[in-house]
Amino acid sequence: MRGTHRILTTIVALLALQLGSLVAPAYACGCGAMIPTRDQRIGVDREESAVHWDGRTETVVMRFRVHGNASRAAWIMPVPQRADVTLGEPELFDALDRLAAPEQRDRTYFWPRTGDWPFDSGYGDGSAAGAPPPGASGVGVVGRERLGPFDVARLTATDPKALGGWLRAHGFDLPERLTDALQPYVERRWEYVAVRLAPEEENTVLQGELTPLHITFNSTELVYPMRLSRLARSSQSLGLSVLSEHRMEPRSAIGGDAPEVTFAGRIERPDGAVARLAGDRPVHLTVLEQEFPHPERIDDDHHLRTVADTPYRRVEYTDRLLTVAGGIPVWLLTVGGGLLLAALGTLLAVRVARRRPALRPGVRSTA
């Protein structure tokens, strides 16, 4: 039986691992679109976004973890007003992770599991840019900066096709479907941050975590551009940390699963990178996760609204085998005690039986 149990446990674990690798989603490039050159590819393994809004000004700090064989790529982000772009602080995301870290609790279980004795040898604990070229009418370059590995252009465009022509003239292919996706932003007269990702050393592939970008613009509401993510060909996942005067949540799911709040709470004394983003006064932090199994259904940007300042923190449990002093499993004491009581009962019954007088032949008991 023990061998059968271990085989079944191993099969279940392997199946769970295989299923996990099949359903693990790609992370959304929520604010924009990555565009490599024709013969190269680039993927976004992870996008981390922190947003601060004070009622008038919005700041988005984004950090990408990328893979592929591209030595350069472009990234497009629509913004409702003219934007200022600088380099962000990588430590900001570590600080936010610490603030929103789940509460850790221990949870005990009674019966031994795989890894506990007698199923193992021990007890164990469960445990991009430049001036517009000739012919690129409809596109204006209002600013250009070189920021580390980024060549940043702030653009205006009155025609999405003209914007595509500008990008193609700079060596990037803009898919026709992305041109169509930009149309709603053109109609609302939004502007664009166009970023050329190019390593400072030549012939270097874009890999790993890129330096964050810090983008600031005026906005009368807290909006997080998401429409371009509808072009993704696989399921997407969005992670968003929002710093504002009150707890903020999306007005709708915009075509994805219901957004999940994984942390909401008041930060009384922001410091370090968080204070440099949101100021040193008390601020509410809301951390959101959302899945988009069918990104083609995304039909809007995220518009966030103020909700009740109800605090929330996830709890993560560490399962531990229930033991007493000395690390002795309680189940072992219970089972051992039960066996001992049973043995004592059997012994007592035998002794009582032995003390009863034997009946002589032909004598009937009157008991």
Side-chain angles (χ1 to χ4, degrees), residues 9-266:
T9 300
T10 302
I11 292 173
V12 170
L14 289 172
L15 284 173
L17 181 62
Q18 183 66 24
L19 287 172
S21 67
L22 289 174
V23 303
Y27 284 91
C29 185
C31 270
M34 288 284 186
I35 310 166
T37 54
R38 181 186 297 273
D39 58 344
Q40 296 180 333
R41 60 181 178 82
I42 189 169
V44 180
D45 291 322
R46 174 72 173 170
E47 174 196 333
E48 297 172 284
S49 296
V51 180
H52 173 248
W53 184 63
D54 62 8
R56 300 179 304 276
T57 303
E58 181 174 341
T59 300
V60 179
V61 183
M62 309 183 71
R63 180 173 67 176
F64 296 105
R65 185 187 304 139
V66 301
H67 69 274
N69 63 357
S71 58
R72 56 184 181 136
W75 174 69
I76 309 298
M77 175 181 172
V79 290
Q81 300 286 338
R82 187 146 301 174
D84 291 324
V85 185
T86 60
L87 291 180
E89 299 182 76
E91 54 269 28
L92 169 66
F93 299 97
D94 295 332
L96 291 173
D97 286 343
R98 288 192 296 270
L99 289 170
E103 179 182 350
Q104 302 295 322
R105 295 182 186 174
D106 286 344
R107 182 171 56 188
T108 58
Y109 57 91
F110 183 80
W111 292 110
R113 302 175 180 176
T114 301
D116 299 320
W117 185 88
F119 303 117
D120 204 348
S121 58
Y123 296 131
D125 294 330
S127 32
S137 59
V139 179
V141 179
V142 298
R144 178 185 175 186
E145 301 85 23
R146 177 72 186 190
L147 303 172
F150 307 112
D151 189 11
V152 181
R154 290 167 290 152
L155 306 175
T156 63
T158 57
D159 181 353
K161 292 184 178 180
L163 182 58
W166 186 91
L167 288 166
R168 282 189 287 271
H170 285 77
F172 300 99
D173 294 319
L174 180 65
E176 188 61 34
R177 58 198 184 97
L178 181 54
T179 301
D180 295 338
L182 288 169
Q183 184 64 41
Y185 298 113
V186 173
E187 292 175 353
R188 287 184 287 172
R189 297 184 178 276
W190 281 34
E191 298 190 4
Y192 309 89
V193 175
V195 182
R196 184 193 297 274
L197 290 77
E200 297 181 55
E201 297 182 10
E202 291 187 7
N203 301 319
T204 301
V205 173
L206 292 165
Q207 289 278 3
E209 287 186 347
L210 305 179
T211 304
L213 277 176
H214 181 285
I215 304 169
T216 302
F217 49 89
N218 292 332
S219 182
T220 57
E221 65 170 336
L222 203 167
V223 58
Y224 188 77
M226 281 293 299
R227 287 178 183 269
L228 298 188
S229 282
R230 66 176 304 165
L231 304 178
R233 299 191 182 277
S234 61
S235 62
Q236 300 286 287
S237 179
L238 173 67
L240 189 62
S241 297
V242 181
L243 291 155
S244 190
E245 185 177 357
H246 297 284
R247 175 170 166 171
M248 306 289 289
E249 294 184 16
R251 295 181 180 274
S252 71
I254 64 168
D257 292 345
E260 177 188 2
V261 176
T262 61
F263 177 85
R266 183 179 172 90

Side-chain angles (χ1 to χ4, degrees), residues 228-313:
L228 298 188
S229 282
R230 66 176 304 165
L231 304 178
R233 299 191 182 277
S234 61
S235 62
Q236 300 286 287
S237 179
L238 173 67
L240 189 62
S241 297
V242 181
L243 291 155
S244 190
E245 185 177 357
H246 297 284
R247 175 170 166 171
M248 306 289 289
E249 294 184 16
R251 295 181 180 274
S252 71
I254 64 168
D257 292 345
E260 177 188 2
V261 176
T262 61
F263 177 85
R266 183 179 172 90
I267 310 303
E268 294 292 345
R269 296 181 179 179
D271 61 5
V274 176
R276 287 189 287 275
L277 173 62
D280 56 5
R281 300 177 60 184
V283 66
H284 270 80
L285 170 63
T286 312
V287 181
L288 301 159
E289 297 284 343
Q290 186 179 15
E291 303 299 322
F292 294 89
H294 304 283
E296 70 276 6
R297 297 178 183 174
I298 296 175
D299 58 6
D300 201 354
D301 300 316
H302 262 318
H303 301 266
L304 290 92
R305 62 180 178 179
T306 300
V307 297
D309 293 332
T310 306
Y312 173 75
R313 185 185 294 270

Side-chain angles (χ1 to χ4, degrees), residues 313-349:
R313 185 185 294 270
R314 286 187 301 179
V315 177
E316 288 185 352
Y317 291 96
T318 299
D319 291 336
R320 302 184 185 279
L321 183 65
L322 185 61
T323 61
V324 295
I328 301 175
V330 172
W331 74 266
L332 184 58
L333 293 177
T334 303
V335 173
L339 292 175
L340 180 59
L341 288 175
L344 289 174
T346 301
L347 179 61
L348 181 60

